Amino acid sequence: MDKQTTAPIGFNITFATMLSLAIDMGLEFPLRQTDVHGILHLREMELKRQAVYGSCGRKAYMAYIAEGLGNMMDWDEVMKFQRENGSLFCCPSTTAGVLIRKYNDQAHQYLNSLVSEFGSAVPAVYPSKLHCQLLMVDALERMGISQHFVNEIKNILDMAFSHWLQKDEEIMMDIATCAMAFRLLRMNGYDVSSDELSHVAEASTFSDSLQGYLNDTKSLLELYKASKVSLSGNDSSLDCVGLWTGNLLKDKLCSSTLQKTPIFGEIEYALKFPFHATLERLEHKRNIEYFDAWGSLMLTTKCSSFHVNQEFLALAVKDFSFSQSVYQDELQHLDSWVKENKLDQLQFARQKLTYCYLSAAATIFPSELSDARISWAKNGVLTTVVDDFFDVGGSKEELENLIELVEKWHEHHADKYYSEQVRTVFSAIYATTNQLGAKASAAQGRDVTKHLAEIWLDLLRSMMMEAEWQRSQHVPTVEEYMTNAVVSFALGPIVLPALYFVGEELLEHAVKDQEYEKLFRLMSTCGRLLNDSKGFEREGSQGKLNSISLLVLHSGNSMSTEAAKKVIQKSIDKSRRDLLRLVLRKESVVPRPCKELFWKMCKILHLFYFQTDGFSSPKEMVGAVNAVINEPLKIQMSDASLFISSEK
């Protein structure tokens, strides 16, 4: 009688029917007659409500709860929902309820197989093995501990892919399982088509399903997440799914009853942060801290035991806490490096060490990838310094001198510095690049220092090109601008050297391959256009041209600023999808861990420019830095061993 209690699907009907049968058998209950009448009344009200609807979803629902409807059902109609394994909806109780009234050999065999396997008590849903295993893979990825279970995860996903290719009903007949399988398989590099989700491309087709008729929030959320894993314009059905599921989920956030449930926070987070605009370590921390809430939705008792769930949580807590201690040590090292190279004494330069390190620690998060994080962060600091030097700090002569020194590299002469500023900037680039080059060369088994120096030279020359355009008031074409801008955006020195430190052999022919160049171009295009879009007004006030103002100018002002922004947004979306497709493609000369760094940077850029210029939003960024690096996990753990793990 408690309306706040979460009840099984169709409980008002099935329980009331059980009660009626028991009363007819002469059983007595310690219940007030008014309560019995109330329960039976709820059943009648539910049946009247169901009679109003005539959708396919309603028919599926009525078949699902057929055990509670008795002679009211047309059992031939119910049998239309029988699955290949003999069951009705993979539900033992529904199958048994139907079998009592209409014998079917396949249904009988299904129930016999369950009793043989489980004995006197069977699961509420069977089979559910694949669904549970996918939930487990998702949980391990969400808590940042999937790297400890690489082989196990591969085995599960290989099996899921095999089922997917066979269009097995265990995947295809359940919308939430199908959507989750699609997302996990695609993001792990399996070639799965979005066509398998086309049957729910419209809200109307979803409402015709059992899950749609039940207004199943979990299925909606899984579909919404799946819709975001789009790789090209050919995935248009995913865009449709994302649109209507997003609207329905926004409506659900307004529901007062949903606000009291664990799934509310999951919906709120999914809608606020697209998966391509998140920092992994921030997500891991949130998921560990809120494990009790979302874990109750995902790793239910039918999928894994409480003990297994707590062991996963304990491992995640221990892993995250240990990584934080590593991050703190690395940040101290980086702070000393800044001072040793006198970068903190450059008056023109923004001091963005913690931001640069955050982007490394929050994405290249495994503790053993220290060299990759250090390389990423140091070069992030140096590119910020160089950017400011070209923008405000250096004269034409100083900039030319810096480029000349990098061109000569080992042959440069100490007495040829135009100024102390040039000495400081060049010395930091030279020393740091040589140090990183020596480490990378040792890791790769070949000399890569020359390549690292070339990356810096390409950046400086492209920055000089922009400086000359501004001095001469030259208006480049959009194509000229973008060809130069993908280099001048300064992601080369940050991302490309780090590729040598992720534990994979990156061969020289791979570095010269078109795939390598395309990965870099797509990532940099996203960054440049995101920056242009969010910084348009600020840069316009400084007299700087960017892709938006160039589109307007070259149209003869026939294109409005808003129209130009829409064009740029389409280019961002296309570049992001093309990049993800290239990263996930299995046939590749660039190793997958290396390709993933391009995608990680793309995600960082989308988050940094989510609302405005990332470097201009200190409050949000400081909060993120503290969450990833400094603040310990805030988790209430009933298990004492978990508490001990977090303290370590």
Side-chain angles (χ1 to χ4, degrees):
M1 301 308 291
D2 182 1
K3 293 181 180 178
Q4 300 303 315
T5 301
T6 302
I9 295 169
F11 183 75
N12 285 347
I13 292 175
T14 53
F15 181 70
T17 300
M18 289 171 63
L19 191 60
S20 295
L21 287 169
I23 292 170
D24 291 343
M25 292 170 67
L27 296 176
E28 294 182 5
F29 299 94
L31 295 174
R32 293 178 302 178
Q33 196 61 36
T34 52
D35 286 341
V36 173
H37 286 315
I39 292 169
L40 296 177
H41 178 68
L42 285 175
R43 177 178 185 269
E44 296 308 313
M45 293 294 291
E46 178 77 2
L47 289 172
K48 285 181 181 178
R49 187 175 71 85
Q50 297 302 329
V52 175
Y53 302 99
S55 67
C56 295
R58 186 253 182 191
K59 291 177 183 177
Y61 172 71
M62 297 302 279
Y64 188 77
I65 60 168
E67 59 181 303
L69 294 173
N71 295 329
M72 298 172 61
M73 291 301 296
D74 179 341
W75 298 103
D76 289 327
E77 287 295 313
V78 173
M79 291 306 295
K80 291 179 180 178
F81 293 94
Q82 187 175 32
R83 298 192 178 177
E84 290 176 8
N85 61 13
S87 76
L88 275 298
F89 304 99
C90 290
C91 177
S93 61
T94 300
T95 307
V98 173
L99 190 63
I100 289 169
R101 294 168 178 86
K102 186 175 181 65
Y103 180 80
N104 178 274
D105 191 52
Q106 283 181 291
H108 194 197
Q109 288 177 18
Y110 168 77
L111 292 177
N112 272 332
S113 67
L114 262 65
V115 173
S116 298
E117 183 170 351
F118 297 102
S120 59
V122 299
V125 177
Y126 185 86
S128 59
K129 181 181 178 182
L130 184 57
H131 177 78
C132 296
Q133 288 179 326
L134 290 172
L135 283 174
M136 205 167 290
V137 171
D138 198 29
L140 294 172
E141 289 185 352
R142 290 182 64 173
M143 291 193 289
I145 53 176
S146 59
Q147 68 272 21
H148 300 295
F149 303 94
V150 173
N151 291 332
E152 292 84 352
I153 288 173
K154 183 180 185 303
N155 290 338
I156 290 171
L157 294 179
D158 282 348
M159 181 179 67
F161 186 52
S162 175
H163 282 267
W164 181 279
L165 294 177
Q166 295 167 29
K167 301 187 187 299
D168 190 286
E169 61 182 16
E170 190 178 348
I171 286 185
M172 300 304 174
M173 294 298 287
D174 181 76
I175 290 175
T177 304
C178 186
M180 180 168 49
F182 172 78
R183 171 171 57 86
L184 291 174
L185 287 171
R186 177 166 276 195
M187 287 304 294
N188 281 278
Y190 293 83
D191 184 14
V192 288
S193 170
S194 58
D195 290 347
E196 301 303 337
L197 294 175
S198 60
H199 65 290
V200 286
E202 303 294 337
S204 57
T205 52
F206 175 72
S207 64
D208 268 346
S209 67
L210 176 60
Q211 290 91 347
Y213 181 76
L214 295 171
N215 198 18
D216 181 37
T217 304
K218 187 177 175 183
S219 293
L220 279 176
L221 184 56
E222 284 296 345
L223 279 171
Y224 180 77
K225 289 180 179 179
S227 73
K228 301 305 168 187
V229 192
S230 178
L231 302 183
S232 72
N234 295 329
D235 278 336
S236 56
S237 61
L238 291 183
D239 294 334
C240 295
V241 171
L243 186 62
W244 69 260
T245 53
N247 289 334
L248 287 179
L249 289 172
K250 286 173 188 174
D251 291 342
K252 282 183 173 288
L253 289 182
C254 301
S255 166
S256 57
T257 54
L258 193 68
Q259 289 175 10
K260 300 173 184 177
T261 63
I263 203 169
F264 180 85
E266 293 300 298
I267 296 171
E268 196 173 40
Y269 188 82
L271 291 174
K272 185 175 181 181
F273 295 105
F275 94 106
H276 59 262
T278 55
L279 295 180
E280 287 165 278
R281 217 50 176 157
L282 275 177
E283 283 211 309
H284 297 159
K285 187 173 191 182
R286 174 187 177 275
N287 290 329
I288 294 168
E289 291 181 334
Y290 290 92
F291 179 80
D292 283 347
W294 68 268
S296 66
L297 291 169
M298 300 183 68
L299 298 178
T300 56
T301 52
K302 71 176 181 181
C303 291
S304 64
S305 68
F306 175 81
H307 179 69
V308 170
N309 293 355
Q310 295 305 306
E311 289 212 343
F312 282 155
L313 181 57
L315 177 60
V317 169
K318 185 176 181 179
D319 186 89
F320 191 93
S321 301
F322 176 72
S323 68
Q324 277 194 317
S325 65
V326 173
Y327 301 159
Q328 289 161 12
D329 290 343
E330 289 174 356
L331 193 53
Q332 282 187 344
H333 162 74
L334 289 165
D335 190 56
S336 299
W337 167 80
V338 167
K339 292 182 173 67
E340 287 168 8
N341 286 276
K342 301 179 182 178
L343 298 176
D344 56 328
Q345 297 176 25
L346 294 171
Q347 297 301 310
F348 62 83
R350 293 166 290 170
Q351 300 301 311
K352 298 295 181 181
L353 170 61
T354 50
Y355 290 6
C356 294
Y357 182 67
L358 168 69
S359 69
T363 53
I364 313 171
F365 60 86
S367 52
E368 64 271 16
L369 295 182
S370 180
D371 287 340
R373 284 190 296 275
I374 294 294
S375 170
W376 184 291
K378 284 183 176 179
N379 283 320
V381 170
L382 290 174
T383 54
T384 303
V385 168
V386 169
D387 186 45
D388 291 342
F389 194 45
F390 273 78
D391 270 356
V392 295
S395 65
K396 182 174 182 291
E397 291 76 15
E398 285 177 311
L399 301 183
E400 289 173 343
N401 182 216
L402 178 61
I403 293 174
E404 182 185 2
L405 290 165
V406 173
E407 285 174 336
K408 291 181 179 178
W409 201 247
H410 292 310
E411 283 73 43
H412 77 276
H413 299 287
D415 60 345
K416 296 296 183 180
Y417 295 122
Y418 186 86
S419 67
E420 196 59 33
Q421 283 192 148
V422 174
R423 179 194 297 272
T424 301
V425 174
F426 173 74
S427 297
I429 293 173
Y430 181 75
T432 303
T433 300
N434 286 333
Q435 288 165 6
L436 292 173
K439 274 193 173 185
S441 298
Q444 293 293 320
R446 63 184 180 88
D447 186 11
V448 300
T449 304
K450 183 181 178 183
H451 178 222
L452 303 190
E454 288 171 352
I455 293 168
W456 273 107
L457 185 57
D458 288 342
L459 172 63
L460 298 179
R461 285 172 173 168
S462 69
M463 284 183 163
M464 180 60 87
M465 177 74 74
E466 287 187 353
E468 288 173 353
W469 284 348
Q470 193 164 0
R471 271 194 296 271
S472 65
Q473 295 186 319
H474 171 69
V475 179
T477 65
V478 175
E479 186 178 354
E480 278 181 311
Y481 170 81
M482 286 306 301
T483 299
N484 192 67
V486 293
V487 180
S488 68
F489 192 61
L491 297 182
I494 301 173
V495 177
L496 302 182
L499 303 182
Y500 290 120
F501 294 109
V502 293
E504 293 286 336
E505 186 179 16
L506 185 60
L507 300 173
E508 188 172 1
H509 78 84
V511 173
K512 295 178 179 178
D513 195 87
Q514 285 186 341
E515 182 186 36
Y516 180 92
E517 186 276 330
K518 192 174 182 181
L519 286 161
F520 175 73
R521 178 170 50 80
L522 290 169
M523 170 192 68
S524 298
T525 298
C526 281
R528 179 73 270 170
L529 295 181
L530 282 165
N531 179 277
D532 287 358
S533 183
K534 296 299 182 181
F536 172 71
E537 282 77 13
R538 175 174 51 80
E539 291 183 345
S541 65
Q542 298 170 355
K544 293 182 179 179
L545 294 170
N546 70 21
S547 57
I548 294 173
S549 54
L550 287 172
L551 279 173
V552 174
L553 278 172
H554 288 299
S555 74
N557 290 318
S558 63
M559 180 183 286
S560 67
T561 299
E562 287 307 310
K565 284 184 176 180
K566 287 180 181 178
V567 170
I568 294 303
Q569 186 58 52
K570 283 184 179 179
S571 295
I572 293 170
D573 293 341
K574 184 180 185 306
S575 295
R576 183 184 68 243
R577 286 175 166 177
D578 289 348
L579 175 62
L580 183 57
R581 184 173 68 252
L582 204 55
V583 169
L584 298 179
R585 192 175 70 184
K586 287 200 171 183
E587 299 76 22
S588 178
V589 295
V590 180
R592 172 71 185 263
C594 296
K595 292 196 293 182
E596 284 179 352
L597 290 197
F598 293 97
W599 177 245
K600 288 176 187 294
M601 176 56 87
C602 185
K603 290 179 69 175
I604 290 164
L605 295 165
H606 274 85
L607 182 64
F608 276 25
Y609 295 107
F610 195 49
Q611 294 175 329
T612 180
D613 181 336
F615 278 178
S616 305
S617 311
K619 184 178 179 182
E620 290 81 359
M621 297 312 301
V622 168
V625 168
N626 287 330
V628 172
I629 301 169
N630 299 317
E631 295 171 356
L633 289 163
K634 298 173 183 175
I635 182 170
Q636 298 296 321
M637 291 170 284
S638 56
D639 191 317
S641 66
L642 290 181
F643 181 77
I644 292 169
S645 296
S646 68
E647 289 299 296
K648 288 178 184 177

